[in-house]
Amino acid sequence: MITFKPSQKEYDNALAFMDKHDREKHGKTDEVPRYCGAIGGGYSYVFTPTSLGNSLKIICSCGEECNVTDYDIW
């Protein structure tokens, strides 16, 4: 089995992107969270193995994406 795990910096960057994006594009507030359906699926984590390391991209269901790769660990 192959397992991919984001670094702490990548995880923090992903959470920051998702929070900012949800607030700006999807109307999320502190009182009203973004609703993504009964089973979620609002975001996809795309890991791409390369010869130097794994890149990580976060893609929202609306199509906007953000590269959160921590190149310092390559």
Side-chain angles (χ1 to χ4, degrees), residues 16-28:
F17 163 71
M18 291 186 287
D19 185 59
K20 181 179 180 196
H21 178 73
D22 285 347
R23 289 177 186 278
E24 293 176 355
K25 304 289 183 180
H26 300 292
K28 175 186 172 184

Side-chain angles (χ1 to χ4, degrees), residues 21-66:
H21 178 73
D22 285 347
R23 289 177 186 278
E24 293 176 355
K25 304 289 183 180
H26 300 292
K28 175 186 172 184
T29 65
D30 290 337
E31 294 79 29
V32 180
R34 177 181 175 198
Y35 181 71
C36 294
I39 60 170
Y43 288 96
S44 296
Y45 291 73
V46 180
F47 290 89
T48 305
T50 72
S51 61
L52 299 175
N54 297 320
S55 68
L56 174 56
K57 184 180 352 178
I58 308 299
I59 304 175
C60 180
S61 59
C62 75
E64 190 163 335
E65 56 187 58
C66 181

